[in-house]
Amino acid sequence: MRRPNVQVIVASEYPEARYFLQEMVEPEGGITVSQAPDVPKALTLVKNLKPDVAIIDCHLPYGASTYNLPLSRTGGLDIAQIITQEAPGTKVVLLNNLDTVISTDRALPREDGDTYTMKNLENDMPLVIRDLRPSMKVPNTLVFADIEAKPQELQVQTRTSATDKTIFFGALAIVLGWFLIISMISATIGAAISGVGVGAVILGIVGKLTNPLWRRLLGKRLWR
Amino acid sequence: MVVQDVTTYDEGKKMDADKTATIKILKECHVFSGLNEIELKKVANLTEEKEYPAGATIYQEGAQAEELAVLQEGKVALQMSLSAPGDRTTGRITVDIVGRNELFGWSAMVDPHVYTLTSVCLQRCKVLSIDGIKLRSLLGANHHIGYQVFSEMVKVVASRLDDTRRVLVSERLLLLNANNSK
């Protein structure tokens, strides 16, 4: 049976954040994602598409004409409440701290001082969503979600676990192998030298012990 | 509304440790930053730490304002209800978002002691709640505390008024732009 198509809208001022959110939900399959950069466009999408899920940044601006006003970025909660009232079938996820993980130059910061670009966002998902909490007033409809930058060590681990670990353990195996090979060659040579030495010592001792006997058998003159 | 009390002031050493922490929090809030240690201790005696989950309403617009709060952790949206002709409530508009160390619920200090905005937690919030009636008594009894607190609180009220005015202007800008594009 064919899976029904799920309509999702993602609303954030930041294109990188919208891209990240789209990348996050699209791999599920059977999901169509539409993007909105501000409140009016998000409302239009909600009215036209009647989405199943709306993922909204709480600092969503009211409109392009008010971008220069500091208080224009307070529309997320308002539109989330409107959607829960006007489109009760839509589940709303309100992301409450996208602004703290996205710098003002609209690029995602990295701990090494560099920034994520659209290209490397394809491989590195620097954000994680955690703490999904349903709203107390409208259960199962409005969900508050914390979003935060993925810890650097986790990013390194996820990026390098398959490659760097293989290289590290491979190099370690090579060094260990060569150590054993050299040890075995040295042991063989050492054993041979030691054997010759033992033989010489035994021969010397035997010679020393049998000295009077040889003298008697061979005679004083011959022995001299 | 579910409110979970995190700390109640017990006797002895714990109380002193809690008070020291509370004084530190109050000091970081602009409204109380002008007070000395003894004055801060008096205010700290009127406080209580509370935690709210995301989505919880701390103060409801139109309700009796009995306390004010300093936000310790999280983010709180201050919303104003909009009424259409015929007194039909159409929805709520966020006029400001309160951040860490900021004070909200100032209506508890000013007649008629009715909240003018609804405060909604955008994430898990920890607040230092201050008993409004007791604080008013303290401010009346100690004029230095009263002057310091009210002079800073006026700035908060003015800031909220300015924020609201800006939102109204931006709304009108949107209307104008919408009409021009038709």
Side-chain angles (χ1 to χ4, degrees):
Chain A
M1 197 176 77
R2 199 183 157 196
R3 194 179 165 182
N5 194 35
V6 178
Q7 286 281 353
V8 177
I9 66 159
V10 293
S12 172
E13 178 186 1
Y14 306 104
E16 294 88 351
R18 294 200 301 271
Y19 178 84
F20 156 68
L21 294 168
Q22 183 164 348
E23 285 289 297
M24 202 170 60
V25 294
E26 259 183 351
E28 293 295 320
I31 295 175
T32 307
V33 180
S34 308
Q35 296 188 10
D38 52 37
V39 169
K41 281 179 185 153
L43 270 177
T44 307
L45 283 177
V46 168
K47 279 175 188 166
N48 293 343
L49 300 173
K50 299 264 182 289
D52 301 284
V53 180
I55 303 171
I56 294 166
D57 176 7
C58 78
H59 287 280
L60 195 66
Y62 266 97
S65 62
T66 59
Y67 275 3
N68 57 340
L69 289 173
L71 279 167
S72 67
R73 291 168 176 82
T74 57
L77 179 62
D78 303 347
I79 189 178
Q81 288 168 335
I82 291 168
I83 295 169
T84 54
Q85 285 163 10
E86 293 190 0
T90 303
K91 295 205 174 191
V92 186
V93 179
L94 189 69
L95 303 175
N96 62 38
N97 50 346
L98 257 182
D99 60 317
T100 57
V101 292
I102 296 177
S103 63
T104 48
D105 63 358
R106 297 187 180 188
L108 300 168
R110 291 166 70 125
E111 283 188 13
D112 57 9
D114 204 353
T115 51
Y116 282 94
T117 61
M118 291 297 277
K119 195 179 171 187
N120 62 26
L121 256 176
E122 288 168 16
N123 299 319
D124 305 318
M125 284 297 176
L127 309 175
V128 284
I129 291 181
R130 64 176 183 91
D131 290 348
L132 288 169
R133 291 195 187 91
S135 164
M136 294 163 69
K137 284 207 162 179
V138 197
N140 302 321
T141 305
L142 177 55
V143 174
F144 290 79
D146 281 349
I147 190 161
E148 63 177 24
K150 196 186 278 185
Q152 181 70 9
E153 60 271 22
L154 197 63
Q155 288 181 34
V156 172
Q157 198 183 343
T158 51
R159 272 202 300 267
T160 62
S161 58
T163 54
D164 284 8
K165 275 184 181 174
T166 310
I167 293 167
F168 174 76
F169 285 115
L172 195 70
I174 291 167
V175 171
L176 196 67
W178 273 106
F179 177 76
L180 286 173
I181 289 166
I182 291 164
S183 299
M184 282 176 75
I185 292 168
S186 304
T188 311
I189 295 166
I193 293 168
S194 179
V196 171
V198 167
V201 167
I202 291 168
L203 203 63
I205 291 168
V206 170
K208 228 175 179 51
L209 290 172
T210 55
N211 198 5
L213 183 68
W214 287 111
R215 274 188 182 180
R216 207 173 300 146
L217 284 173
L218 297 173
K220 225 175 188 177
R221 194 180 294 166
L222 185 69
W223 185 244
R224 275 180 188 168
Chain B
M1 183 173 71
V2 177
V3 177
Q4 185 192 348
D5 285 355
V6 171
T7 309
T8 50
Y9 292 115
D10 300 321
E11 298 295 322
K13 286 179 184 175
K14 191 178 177 294
M15 188 172 135
D16 287 341
D18 285 348
K19 249 183 209 167
T20 311
T22 307
I23 287 169
K24 200 179 165 197
I25 295 159
L26 289 172
K27 227 175 191 174
E28 286 171 1
C29 175
H30 282 297
V31 174
F32 302 103
S33 59
L35 304 183
N36 62 38
E37 288 286 324
I38 299 162
E39 291 168 338
L40 283 169
K41 208 169 184 179
K42 285 178 183 172
V43 179
N45 285 332
L46 316 176
T47 63
E48 188 183 350
E49 272 190 5
K50 290 178 180 178
E51 272 191 6
Y52 298 88
T57 300
I58 301 177
Y59 303 139
Q60 185 76 45
E61 183 182 343
Q64 195 67 33
E66 289 171 348
E67 56 184 52
L68 59 160
V70 176
L71 187 63
Q72 285 179 258
E73 281 174 28
K75 233 181 252 178
V76 172
L78 299 180
Q79 292 192 304
M80 180 183 277
S81 300
L82 295 177
S83 297
D87 274 332
R88 195 173 64 88
T89 304
T90 55
R92 292 199 303 224
I93 295 289
T94 304
V95 294
D96 202 357
I97 292 177
V98 180
R100 199 170 162 265
N101 295 331
E102 286 187 291
L103 182 116
F104 62 102
W106 56 265
S107 306
M109 300 303 292
V110 182
D111 270 335
H113 307 300
V114 172
Y115 292 120
T116 54
L117 298 168
T118 298
S119 42
V120 180
C121 298
L122 287 174
Q123 56 196 120
R124 190 187 69 83
C125 288
K126 201 179 194 183
V127 301
L128 194 64
S129 179
I130 306 168
D131 188 311
I133 298 165
K134 287 179 183 170
L135 185 64
R136 287 201 304 268
S137 303
L138 177 68
L139 267 51
N142 188 323
H143 290 176
H144 180 253
I145 302 178
Y147 174 76
Q148 287 291 337
V149 170
F150 268 113
S151 60
E152 287 298 323
M153 204 173 280
V154 166
K155 290 179 190 170
V156 175
V157 178
S159 160
R160 298 266 187 275
L161 187 65
D162 188 49
D163 293 346
T164 314
R165 189 173 56 87
R166 280 171 185 271
V167 170
L168 281 171
V169 170
S170 66
E171 289 289 311
R172 289 186 180 184
L173 263 173
L174 274 175
L175 274 172
L176 283 172
N177 286 339
N179 285 335
N180 286 340
S181 61
K182 277 177 187 173

